[in-house]
């Protein structure tokens, strides 16, 4: 429960996007431990996350809520 991950590197997006259904289920299961980050100047990570049809509450956790909880 105290292990977090981020999807800032291309490898994170690549792993989740190989099987989008698995990626979506992974994010839903671990929504409270995934952090969003950007190592690139494009929007590939954000476009992928937004394409999954995740509930807004889950996207909010990944985009900023989990980081805010860790570093208030």
């Amino acid at each position: 429960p105290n292990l977090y991950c981020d999807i800032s590197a291309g490898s994170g997006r690549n792993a989740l996007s190989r099987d989008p259904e698995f990626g979506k289920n992974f994010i839903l299961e671990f929504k409270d431990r995934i952090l969003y980050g950007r190592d690139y100047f494009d929007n590939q990570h954000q476009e992928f996350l937004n394409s999954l049809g995740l509930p807004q509450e889950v996207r909010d956790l990944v985009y900023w809520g989990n980081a805010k909880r860790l570093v208030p």
Side-chain angles (χ1 to χ4, degrees):
N2 62 350
L3 180 65
Y4 287 77
C5 71
D6 73 75
I7 56 169
S8 62
S11 58
R13 186 190 53 81
N14 288 339
L16 294 172
S17 64
R18 275 189 212 116
D19 182 347
E21 188 64 30
F22 171 85
K24 180 177 182 176
N25 289 331
F26 180 87
I27 292 170
L28 289 171
E29 182 175 350
F30 299 106
K31 64 186 172 280
D32 58 338
R33 293 186 256 165
I34 299 174
L35 304 168
Y36 173 79
R38 279 176 61 161
D39 288 351
Y40 298 113
F41 294 106
D42 59 31
N43 287 327
Q44 290 182 2
H45 290 80
Q46 189 173 358
E47 289 169 1
F48 172 69
L49 287 174
N50 291 341
S51 75
L52 294 175
L54 297 166
Q56 184 65 47
E57 305 82 46
V58 172
R59 284 184 289 155
D60 287 347
L61 283 172
V62 172
Y63 282 138
W64 59 270
N66 293 329
K68 184 176 179 182
R69 192 174 65 247
L70 288 173
V71 185

